[in-house]
C-alpha cells in the first residue's frame, strides 16, 4: 500500500477497505491528463516564486519521463498505489528527489481529480464530435446518391406517403447534427479550470489561477472553490448527450434490422457487418445493429447512475464522487465504438432500389395525392378525402392499386376524374411535387444538401 497520508494514523487500512477505496484500477486511464495538469501547476508555482525555476524544470522533465516510460511499457501503473495521483507523485519523488515532494504545494487531490476528469471529458467530447462528423459525412454521400431512390414513408409503421431514401437518411443527418451541437454546448459550458480550488476553500498561497487555466487551454478559472471540487454537471450533461446519440443509433439500428429482414428486403447488410448461425446455414444476421440497439441500455444506465450518485452529496467533495468514473468510461467506450462501427456499416449497406420503389407503389401511398388531384379540379378537400377513401375500399376488394383502375371505374365515384390523373399520382410526381423547404422533392432536398455541405466544412457544430 502506497498512500499519500499516514501521519495521523496508528494502524494500517484494512486490506479489503483499501481495495474498496482505491481508484487506481480505473483512474490510471487519465494518467496523461494528471501529468499535463501537474506540469501546468508546477509552471504556475514557479512563476509565482513558490518553486524555483530549477525545481520546476526537474519536476516537468520528471513528469515527462514518467509518461514516456508508461507509454513505452517500461513502467507499469501498479495497484500498490491508491490512485493515479499517488502513483505519479511517488514516482516523481523517486526520480528527482526532494523537488518531487513540493509539487503538491497549494493543491489537493480534490481539485486535482476535478481537473483530470474535466480534461479527460473535454478530450472525449471532441473525439465524440469527430466520430459524429464522420457518420454525417457517410450520410451526406448517401443522400447525394439517392435523391431519386423512391421508398415508402411510414407512420405507425404503415405505408403513408412516398419519400426518397435521401430524405429518410436526411432525418438521421439532422439528429446527428444536433448531437454535435450538444457536444459544442457542453464544451462551452465546461471549459473552466477548477485547479487552485484546493480541498474546498482555495489556498493561502498566491496562486495565479488565470495563468494555470490559460496553460491548459481553458476559457478561465472556475468561480467558486466549493463548486469547483464538487461539480460533475458536465459529466452528467455528457452522459445525457451520449444517451441521445445511442437513442438515435438505436432507432437507426431498428430500421436497418427491419429493412434487412426477409419481409422488407430494402437493404442487405454487408458480410463484414453480419454474422451467421451455428445451426441454420441460410442465416445472415444483423448482429452489429442489434448490439448497438442493445448497448443503448448501458449508456442510459450510466446516466441514471451518476444522477443518483450526485443527488444527495452535501458540499463540497465526498468520496461518492469517485463513482463518476467507471460507468462514464464504459459509456464513452461504448458510444465511440458504436459510432465508428455504424459509419462503416451504413457506408457498405446495399440498397435494393427496385424493391423499395415497388413497395412505395403498393399500399396506396399516393392516396393523398389523388385527393389533392380532385381538389385541383375544384372538389372541396373533405369531399375529395371521402371519395378517395371509397376508391381505396373498392381497390382493396378488387386487389389493385388506384392507377390500375380504368377511367370508367373512376368516373363512377367522381365525374372529376380525367386521364391526367395517372400522371398526377405517379410515384415520381407524388414525390417531386413536394417542394416546400424540408420536403422530399428533389429540388427541396438539393437545397438542404448544399447547406449540409457547407456545414460539414466548418470546424465545430
Ligand atoms: N480517487 C478520488 C476520486 O476519484 C480522488 C480524490 C480523492 N480525494 C480525497 N479527498 N480522498 O474522486
Amino acid at each position: 500500500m502506497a498512500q499519500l497520508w499516514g501521519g495521523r494514523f496508528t494502524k494500517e487500512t484494512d486490506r479489503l477497505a483499501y481495495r474498496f477505496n482505491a481508484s487506481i484500477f480505473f483512474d490510471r486511464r487519465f494518467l496523461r491528463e494528471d501529468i499535463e495538469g501537474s506540469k501546468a501547476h508546477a509552471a504556475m508555482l514557479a512563476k509565482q516564486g513558490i518553486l524555483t525555476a530549477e525545481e520546476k524544470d526537474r519536476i516537468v522533465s520528471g513528469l515527462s519521463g514518467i509518461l514516456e516510460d508508461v507509454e513505452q511499457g517500461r513502467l507499469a501503473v501498479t495497484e500498490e498505489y491508491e490512485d493515479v495521483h499517488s502513483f505519479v507523485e511517488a514516482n516523481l519523488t523517486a526520480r528527482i528527489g526532494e523537488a518531487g515532494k513540493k509539487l503538491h504545494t497549494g493543491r489537493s487531490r480534490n481539485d486535482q481529480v476535478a481537473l483530470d476528469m474535466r480534461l479527460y471529458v473535454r478530450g472525449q467530447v471532441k473525439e465524440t464530435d469527430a466520430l459524429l462528423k464522420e457518420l454525417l459525412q457517410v450520410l451526406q454521400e448517401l443522400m447525394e446518391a439517392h435523391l431519386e431512390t423512391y421508398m415508402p414513408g411510414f407512420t405507425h409503421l404503415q405505408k403513408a406517403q412516398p419519400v426518397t431514401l435521401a430524405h429518410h437518411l436526411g432525418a438521421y443527418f439532422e439528429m446527428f447534427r444536433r448531437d454535435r451541437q450538444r457536444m459544442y454546448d457542453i464544451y462551452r459550458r465546461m471549459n473552466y479550470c477548477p485547479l487552485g480550488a484546493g480541498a474546498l476553500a482555495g489556498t493561502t498561497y498566491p496562486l495565479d489561477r488565470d495563468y494555470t487555466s490559460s496553460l491548459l487551454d481553458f476559457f478561465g478559472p472556475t468561480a467558486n472553490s466549493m463548486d469547483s471540487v464538487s461539480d460533475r454537471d458536465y459529466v452528467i450533461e455528457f452522459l445525457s448527450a451520449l444517451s441521445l446519440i445511442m437513442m438515435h443509433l438505436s432507432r437507426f439500428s431498428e430500421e436497418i434490422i427491419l429493412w434487412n429482414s426477409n419481409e422488407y428486403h430494402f437493404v442487405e447488410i454487408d458480410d463484414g457487418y453480419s454474422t451467421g448461425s451455428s445451426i441454420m446455414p441460410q442465416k445472415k444476421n444483423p448482429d452489429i445493429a442489434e448490439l448497438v440497439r442493445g448497448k443503448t441500455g448501458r449508456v442510459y444506465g450510466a446516466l441514471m447512475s451518476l444522477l443518483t450518485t450526485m443527488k444527495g452529496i452535501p458540499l463540497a467533495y465526498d468520496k461518492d464522487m469517485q463513482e463518476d468514473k467507471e460507468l462514464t468510461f464504459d459509456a464513452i467506450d461504448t458510444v465511440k465504438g458504436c459510432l465508428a462501427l455504424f459509419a462503416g456499416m451504413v457506408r457498405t449497406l446495399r440498397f435494393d432500389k427496385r424493391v423499395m420503389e415497388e413497395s412505395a407503389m403498393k399500399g396506396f401511398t399516393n392516396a393523398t395525392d389523388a385527393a389533392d388531384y380532385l381538389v385541383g379540379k375544384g372538389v372541396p378537400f373533405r369531399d375529395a378525402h371521402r371519395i378517395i377513401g371509397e376508391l381505396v375500399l373498392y381497390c382493396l376488394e378488387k386487389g389493385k392499386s388506384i392507377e390500375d383502375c380504368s377511367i370508367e371505374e373512376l368516373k363512377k365515384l367522381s365525374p372529376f376524374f380525367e386521364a391526367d390523373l395517372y400522371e398526377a399520382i405517379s410515384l415520381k410526381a407524388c414525390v417531386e411535387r413536394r417542394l416546400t423547404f424540408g420536403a422530399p422533392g428533389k429540388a427541396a432536398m438539393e437545397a438542404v444538401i448544399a447547406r449540409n455541405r457547407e456545414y460539414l466544412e466548418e470546424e465545430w457544430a
Side-chain angles (χ1 to χ4, degrees), residues 210-231:
D210 284 301
Y211 183 65
T212 325
S213 139
S214 74
L215 288 180
L216 294 168
D217 258 330
F218 285 106
F219 299 140
T222 49
N224 180 291
S225 58
M226 293 177 81
D227 178 55
S228 308
V229 293
S230 63
D231 168 29

Side-chain angles (χ1 to χ4, degrees), residues 5 21-24 26-27 30 82-83 85 108-110 113 232 317-325:
W5 37 273
N21 186 54
S23 51
I24 190 82
F26 45 88
D27 65 15
F30 49 51
E82 180 186 341
D83 51 31
H85 324 296
S108 155
R109 274 185 298 165
N110 294 353
V113 78
R232 297 293 182 274
Y317 176 84
D318 297 72
K319 199 57 176 272
D320 319 38
M321 290 164 67
Q322 183 166 289
E323 284 295 306
D324 64 350
K325 295 176 192 63

